[in-house]
Amino acid sequence: MGRLVLVEAMLLLVPLAVCLVYGESEWFGFAVAAVAATITGGMAELLTRRTPATIRSREGFIITSLIWVVFALFGVIPFMLSREPLGFTDAVFEVISGLTTTGASMIVDVEAQSHGILFWRAFTQWIGGLGIILFMLAVLPELNKASGISMFQAEATGITHDKLHPRIRQTALSVWGVYSVLTVVSVLLLWAGPMNLFDSVCQTFAAVATGGFTTRNAGVGYWHSDYVLVVLTLVMFVAGLNFMMMYAAVREGVGRILRNSVFRCFCLVTVSAYFLLLVSALMRGEADSVDHMVVYPMFHVVSAITSTGFSISEAEGWGEFALFLTILLMICGACTGSTSGGIKVDRFMVLRSHCLNEIRRTVFPKRAYVVHLNGSALSGQLVARIMAFVTLYLLSIVVFTGVVTMFGYTLVDSLFMVCSCIGCNGLGYGATGVEGSYASLPYAVKWVLTVVMLAGRLELFTYLVLLLPSFWRR
């Protein structure tokens, strides 16, 4: 933990440098945070340097669950010491929202913030996109052993956690290589349009990490550019794919992706949702231009299913069906191994196959049925784990929606904000939409949603195992 905090101290120097480049006084807040992280991490390292430590599966779960909270505790300092300071609760929500790539913000007027603060918001998303632990595995060679594998398995999203290379650090470097290339390409494409370099970098960090923080009060609609929406749609779609699969495709050819059944299903779901939204617009008589027929609906669908949370002001007026479809897309999510949240398309494919097998078993009880995914047979234990996850995910939505309604919010508003936070989406509607914001929520609701964001980012099990008494026994 001490070493991980020392790395965070170095990361804080990047937005500090941005403040110095723009001549902003917020550099002091980042300096304080970096010094605090250095002292804390250094003390932890010194006090335990002679203590033999073996990091097994249980320790991996503890470190992974705690490091996201510890990172947030140091990350809040710049927000609390800025010229437009946030309170402790709002600052924690903002940092957790960034690290979990949720994108729900406590800052109402983002254009009043300094370049350093805006960059830090975007940078937390980029770091948290693939995961804090996966980032550390790439930069800390000493984690290239069983300890790194246990933490990687505790943090990584998905059904299985296959490695691309025998050494876990090489796997982390390969995935981060794809992630970085996508980031550079996106920056150049946006910079070639109406955005300046700073906005291009920040919007790219948000899109590649499927986070959703923007640098403008009007969001991505500020630029009034179809070019920007099309580029961001493509970047978000790619970010919703499995990064390990993309790395394998780089080595073996694009056919590796095209043959992947999860990729084809993801495309089918995305295109189907787009056509449903288009039909809804035609029935309302609002599909009167290319923007309303192609650009806006596809942008909204990709933003919702990849949990990016970029929004356009027109979307909230699209009617109840669009709201219903958006909630379904937020719950669905993109592919496992991506930066997106939600249940993931892969799990829904397994759920569909398992349900069909059970229906067949009713008619032919003596036959043996196996669930397949991408041509591989899944074990009964893995299928049971997937069923348990889907059940717990939906149950969590029900429970937390009930909790939020206790504070006087409507069922639809409560359901939307819980689905948005547990799916690390950040979209707003009603109380958190155009007429309101997450900043207007009571402190208690903000803390509830903070917990929901963390649990959703680490896919529930990493935190739920800590509640088991048997987990803490020797």
Side-chain angles (χ1 to χ4, degrees), residues 294-328:
V294 181
V295 180
Y296 294 166
M298 183 57 78
F299 178 83
H300 181 77
V301 166
V302 174
S303 178
I305 196 171
T306 60
S307 77
T308 307
F310 280 141
S311 60
I312 48 180
S313 57
E314 293 87 350
E316 197 161 327
W318 287 350
E320 297 301 314
F321 177 76
L323 172 63
F324 170 73
L325 185 62
T326 301
I327 293 175
L328 291 183

Side-chain angles (χ1 to χ4, degrees), residues 116-393:
I117 291 295
L118 294 178
F119 181 86
W120 178 233
R121 292 168 79 235
F123 196 44
T124 56
Q125 291 180 119
W126 194 75
I127 295 298
L130 289 180
I132 295 173
I133 297 299
L134 191 63
F135 178 78
M136 299 308 172
L137 290 174
V139 299
L140 295 178
E142 59 267 30
L143 293 180
N144 190 31
K145 46 191 175 184
S147 59
I149 296 175
S150 64
M151 288 186 288
F152 169 71
Q153 291 176 339
E155 181 186 66
T157 63
I159 297 175
T160 59
H161 302 142
D162 300 325
K163 295 188 298 177
L164 295 172
H165 304 283
R167 298 172 70 84
I168 187 64
R169 183 166 182 259
Q170 285 302 113
T171 296
L173 287 172
S174 299
V175 175
W176 272 97
V178 175
Y179 193 62
S180 300
V181 169
L182 178 59
T183 300
V184 173
V185 171
S186 177
V187 169
L188 294 177
L189 288 174
L190 292 176
W191 195 16
M195 291 188 189
N196 59 39
L197 179 59
F198 179 81
D199 285 334
S200 300
V201 171
C202 291
Q203 260 63 225
T204 287
F205 283 173
V208 172
T210 61
F213 278 152
T214 67
T215 55
R216 302 293 177 178
N217 293 332
V220 293
Y222 169 85
W223 289 276
H224 302 286
S225 170
D226 288 348
Y227 173 81
V228 168
L229 296 181
V230 170
V231 170
L232 290 176
T233 299
L234 293 173
V235 172
M236 290 187 294
F237 182 83
V238 174
L241 304 179
N242 188 311
F243 277 86
M244 291 190 181
M245 178 185 68
M246 285 193 283
Y247 177 79
V250 171
R251 301 183 62 184
E252 303 173 20
V254 72
R256 174 68 179 268
I257 294 180
L258 298 178
R259 292 190 300 269
N260 189 283
S261 61
V262 177
F263 170 75
R264 295 199 298 268
C265 182
F266 176 51
C267 292
L268 178 62
V269 172
T270 303
V271 172
S272 299
Y274 161 72
F275 277 113
L276 288 173
L277 207 57
L278 177 59
V279 170
S280 175
L282 290 171
M283 293 177 68
R284 297 192 312 272
E286 295 179 2
D288 53 358
S289 65
V290 175
D291 285 343
H292 287 93
M293 292 182 66
V294 181
V295 180
Y296 294 166
M298 183 57 78
F299 178 83
H300 181 77
V301 166
V302 174
S303 178
I305 196 171
T306 60
S307 77
T308 307
F310 280 141
S311 60
I312 48 180
S313 57
E314 293 87 350
E316 197 161 327
W318 287 350
E320 297 301 314
F321 177 76
L323 172 63
F324 170 73
L325 185 62
T326 301
I327 293 175
L328 291 183
L329 291 173
M330 290 194 298
I331 294 175
C332 176
C335 305
T336 59
S338 67
T339 58
S340 67
I343 293 177
K344 307 292 193 303
V345 170
D346 313 51
R347 291 192 179 97
F348 278 110
M349 293 177 66
V350 173
L351 180 63
R352 170 186 171 276
S353 180
H354 179 66
C355 290
L356 288 176
N357 285 347
E358 290 305 310
I359 294 173
R360 297 187 186 104
R361 201 188 309 275
T362 303
V363 183
F364 307 105
K366 294 185 179 181
R367 290 186 181 180
Y369 298 94
V370 179
V371 175
H372 290 84
L373 185 66
N374 267 327
S376 300
L378 303 183
S379 66
Q381 181 181 2
L382 184 55
V383 173
R385 179 182 175 86
I386 294 171
M387 297 301 106
F389 174 81
V390 174
T391 302
L392 288 171
Y393 193 95

Side-chain angles (χ1 to χ4, degrees), residues 61-73:
F61 278 109
I62 295 172
I63 292 174
T64 303
S65 59
L66 288 181
I67 195 60
W68 289 75
V69 178
V70 172
F71 258 55
L73 292 178

